Amino acid sequence: MSDLEPMPQRQPQPPALPAMEQPNQPAAPAGWYPDNTGQLRWWDGSQWGFYAPAHAPSYQAAPSSAVHVPSAVGYLPVAPVVLVRATKTVGTAVVLLLFLGGFGAHHFYLRQYPQAVIMIAAWWLGWMTSLLGIGLLLLLGVLIWWIVDLCTMRSQVDAANARPY
């Protein structure tokens, strides 16, 4: 080439293919990667997939109590799992009180085990000793307790539902 001839202009070359498309290179993990145009495109580990939507949502940092899960566009906050247990109902407790109150069934239903055992013991001891006269006092005590439970059933159910276990 002589000094007077202009040097041929090099045509702009596209950027080198990513490592995942070059032979003898380890494959990149699946994820979103920018292509030659700057748009994000999905790489599944072996081939290119679809483009990211133009209106991709932006995710803000979640509160520190939230769990973060890796996703295609970063880390997404995931709400913590809340286990919901069945709640006790006033209707069921009242039905148990009316029909099986002397046996303390409503206390067992509300997980008030000491009260249930005491009510059963007073109920049966009252009936067994009623011929001696002492049992009538025990049965009267159970009847008063039964009436108090009937009047306070809503608050007892609310307290049972508020307990963490």
Side-chain angles (χ1 to χ4, degrees), residues 18-27:
M20 66 281 297
E21 290 184 2
Q22 293 179 0
N24 301 328
Q25 293 289 330

Side-chain angles (χ1 to χ4, degrees), residues 23-56:
N24 301 328
Q25 293 289 330
W32 292 99
Y33 294 95
D35 67 357
N36 297 340
T37 64
Q39 290 183 316
L40 290 179
R41 193 166 181 189
W42 180 252
W43 171 256
D44 69 1
S46 62
Q47 65 182 2
W48 288 104
F50 53 88
Y51 284 96
H55 60 283

Side-chain angles (χ1 to χ4, degrees), residues 102-118:
F103 297 103
H106 59 291
H107 286 295
F108 281 113
Y109 174 69
L110 298 174
R111 296 183 312 270
Q112 300 170 336
Y113 303 120
Q115 293 95 323
V117 171
I118 293 170

Side-chain angles (χ1 to χ4, degrees), residues 9-17 36:
Q9 294 288 330
R10 292 186 68 195
Q11 293 295 333
Q13 296 293 324
L17 294 174
N36 297 340

Side-chain angles (χ1 to χ4, degrees), residues 101-143:
F103 297 103
H106 59 291
H107 286 295
F108 281 113
Y109 174 69
L110 298 174
R111 296 183 312 270
Q112 300 170 336
Y113 303 120
Q115 293 95 323
V117 171
I118 293 170
M119 186 172 258
I120 288 174
W123 175 260
W124 285 108
L125 191 59
W127 280 111
M128 287 191 281
T129 59
S130 63
L131 295 176
L132 303 174
I134 299 171
L136 295 176
L137 291 174
L138 281 173
L139 289 174
L140 180 64
V142 171
L143 176 65

